[in-house]
Amino acid sequence: MNTKYLSFDNKLKEKGITFICNEPMKKHITFKLGGNAKRFVTVNNECELKTVLSAVNESSLRYFILGNGSNMLVCDEGFDGVVITLGGEFSEIKLLSESEISCGAGASLSSLCAFARKNSLTGLEFAWGIPGSAGGAAYMNAGAYGGEMKDVLASCEHIDKNGNKGSFSGEELSLGYRKSAYTDKDFIITKLILNLKKGDYDEINSKMGELMDKRKSKQPLEYPSAGSTFKRPEGYFAAALIEECGLKGLSVGDAEVSVKHSGFVINKGEASCSDVLNLIEKIKAIVKEEKDVELECEVKLLK
């Protein structure tokens, strides 16, 4: 047994919290690639989360909070640390008032959108089809088709690495293009409060269907990927720059620039993380040389 994890394992066993050793991360990220996490834990409430964080700190282990794994890569060597995912109470969605929703950070964005539609609440249609968790959407201010989380997110509750609770609301959230007050911080989002507006169920449903049809027709949803690979450069569109450079279909191993949407790098089958990273660097170098524009990768790397 790896003595580095002995204390951690024992503490979780004492509290009845189950965990998995050497869990393949390709099972948990939408890119379907990457190595194993030394420990993988699903926590179902704040008490369990605090216990795991305490055990991580006591054992001086690294940890990573995983949402739906839709905007990330895991290196081929895996992650020497603890991957924590939020389930149970963290997946609950409730109506607080006529137009206010409480949503656990572990809930999928699609289930949140469906809940809003069921209650005839409008404002989240843009997010229908974004394959992330609610917490991940708040963390990076996810957006599409003219909408973003900034338009509907009122506040977030969080826990820091030492188990202390807190919250941000309004301007404190610092929501900008693909970033928030939580970006690159040690806070773990646990709950979102969203303010929506009463709408017409049929109109909401129709709009969601229309946007989903757009996604299916324009995006390579039939292949594993992490969605849009690059952030939008100021004054440009990454996909247009890549296409103008003739890079559709460019590949490294089984990693390929989608011929359907050049903003997506896809996994054609057995792509490694190294394949994807090498392809990303090729794209960046060619776009820089031909267009004199620096592309910035939007996808997070866990290593």
Side-chain angles (χ1 to χ4, degrees), residues 1-14 19 39 51-52 54-61:
M1 179 180 287
N2 188 335
T3 55
K4 184 177 174 182
Y5 288 89
L6 186 58
S7 172
F8 175 84
D9 294 353
N10 287 338
K11 182 155 188 177
L12 266 60
K13 287 174 183 174
E14 285 171 14
F19 57 89
R39 296 293 183 272
T51 296
V52 173
S54 174
V56 162
N57 292 333
E58 286 178 16
S59 303
S60 299
L61 296 173

Side-chain angles (χ1 to χ4, degrees), residues 145-156:
Y145 299 116
E148 56 184 347
M149 292 300 289
K150 182 179 182 180
D151 302 331
V152 295
L153 188 61
S155 64
C156 286

